[in-house]
Every structure is written in C-alpha cells, then in structure tokens.
Amino acid sequence: SYEDSEEPLVEYLNSFIQEKFNIHITIEKDKNNQIHILSKELIELLDTYIVGDKLKENLFNSPEERNSFLLGSYYRFGKKNKNSYTILPSWLSIERLFLLLVKSGAQESVSYHWYTYSIPGNSAFIFQPSFVFEKYIQLIDAEKNKLDVKKYQKR
C-alpha cells in the first residue's frame, strides 16, 4: 500500500505497468486514505521475482536492470542531498542494496548510516552515483519532485 501523499508515484506506476507489461490494475483508496494497487496478473508477475520474503539472487544482472531497480528505490525512498544522494532501504536486505549500489559504480562513495533517534531505528545509504546512474536519476527528477512536493504538503 501507499500513503495518500504518494499518489503521483501510484499514477506513474500505473502508466508504467500498463505500458511495459500490458497489465491492467485497479487503484483503490481505503477509509484511511491508503492507496492499494490491485491486480492478480501483477501479483503473479511479481511472485516470479521473489523467493520467500527476498528477491531472487539472479535478478538485476545487467547494468540497466540494476540501475532501474535502484532508481525505483530512490524514487520512493530516496532524496537528493547537496553533493550526494540517499536511499533508505525498504524490505530489501541492507546487504543486497549495498551490493547493487557497488555494482552500479558507486563503490568509492557508499556509506551506511544507522539512525537511532527514531523508533524503530532507521538506516540509510548515502552515495555518489556513477555517471550512468546519475543520468537515470535525472530522467525522473520531475516525477520525483511531484512526489516530494505532495509528501511535504501532507505534513
């Protein structure tokens, strides 16, 4: 599910899923304004990428696949800093996200931070992207800005 403030992300995902996979999805809001994406076809597709509660090991072999996955993580859980970028790990294991960042060319600059000022604690990767990954980030800057503005307005 997605927060109400993530509506621009849900709209983007809807168009991407329809264009890339030709899968129709239904979008619903519950009484708490949580947004849910519903599609049996999409669940079946996503299940092919997961074993238990982890992503399959053999995913993201090409630079395009790695950068696309990192871009999705950045879009929802990341931010641009003055001279770097931050991604907060979601359900993906911390080690796996680190390896993807390293394989994307950010190995010289990846740092891991554990923040204990909140409960539960939170972790983040701060990094300098490779030239190629930064080009990917620039492709979605306008969409990411829409999402960030909507999140800020909800506070």
Side-chain angles (χ1 to χ4, degrees):
S1 66
Y2 297 84
E3 300 291 327
D4 184 44
S5 61
E6 294 180 299
E7 194 167 353
L9 172 59
V10 173
E11 291 170 5
Y12 179 80
L13 286 172
N14 182 29
S15 62
F16 177 81
I17 291 165
Q18 287 181 358
E19 181 182 317
K20 178 85 173 169
F21 301 105
N22 195 27
I23 293 176
H24 175 74
I25 64 173
T26 301
I27 299 169
E28 292 182 357
K29 272 191 186 180
D30 65 21
K31 64 183 178 181
N32 298 317
N33 281 330
Q34 291 284 309
I35 302 170
H36 303 277
I37 294 176
L38 308 172
S39 169
K40 184 178 178 180
E41 287 178 282
L42 183 59
I43 289 170
E44 289 170 356
L45 174 65
L46 293 176
D47 280 348
T48 65
Y49 297 110
I50 299 171
V51 173
D53 63 350
K54 303 245 185 243
L55 288 170
K56 287 184 177 178
E57 289 296 320
N58 63 348
L59 296 176
F60 318 124
N61 294 317
S62 74
E64 293 81 13
E65 292 168 336
R66 286 189 294 273
N67 287 330
S68 292
F69 181 82
L70 289 170
L71 187 63
S73 297
Y74 168 74
Y75 186 9
R76 187 168 188 201
F77 302 109
K79 70 177 184 172
K80 185 175 183 176
N81 308 314
K82 185 175 181 180
N83 297 313
S84 62
Y85 292 87
T86 299
I87 295 178
L88 306 175
S90 61
W91 61 273
L92 184 65
S93 73
I94 292 168
E95 298 84 16
R96 186 72 184 266
L97 185 56
F98 175 76
L99 289 173
L100 289 172
L101 284 167
V102 168
K103 286 183 177 181
S104 78
Q107 70 266 20
E108 300 298 321
S109 66
V110 179
S111 62
Y112 174 74
H113 300 268
W114 177 254
Y115 301 103
T116 58
Y117 54 81
S118 64
I119 298 175
N122 205 352
S123 57
F125 284 104
I126 300 172
F127 64 97
Q128 293 284 335
S130 67
F131 176 78
V132 172
F133 184 47
E134 190 157 30
K135 293 296 179 194
Y136 274 76
I137 291 172
Q138 291 168 358
L139 290 173
I140 66 154
D141 270 345
E143 287 297 322
K144 174 96 173 108
N145 287 339
K146 286 183 206 174
L147 181 64
D148 292 344
V149 165
K150 184 107 176 178
K151 283 182 178 180
Y152 181 76
Q153 289 172 344
K154 295 298 281 186
R155 290 183 182 175

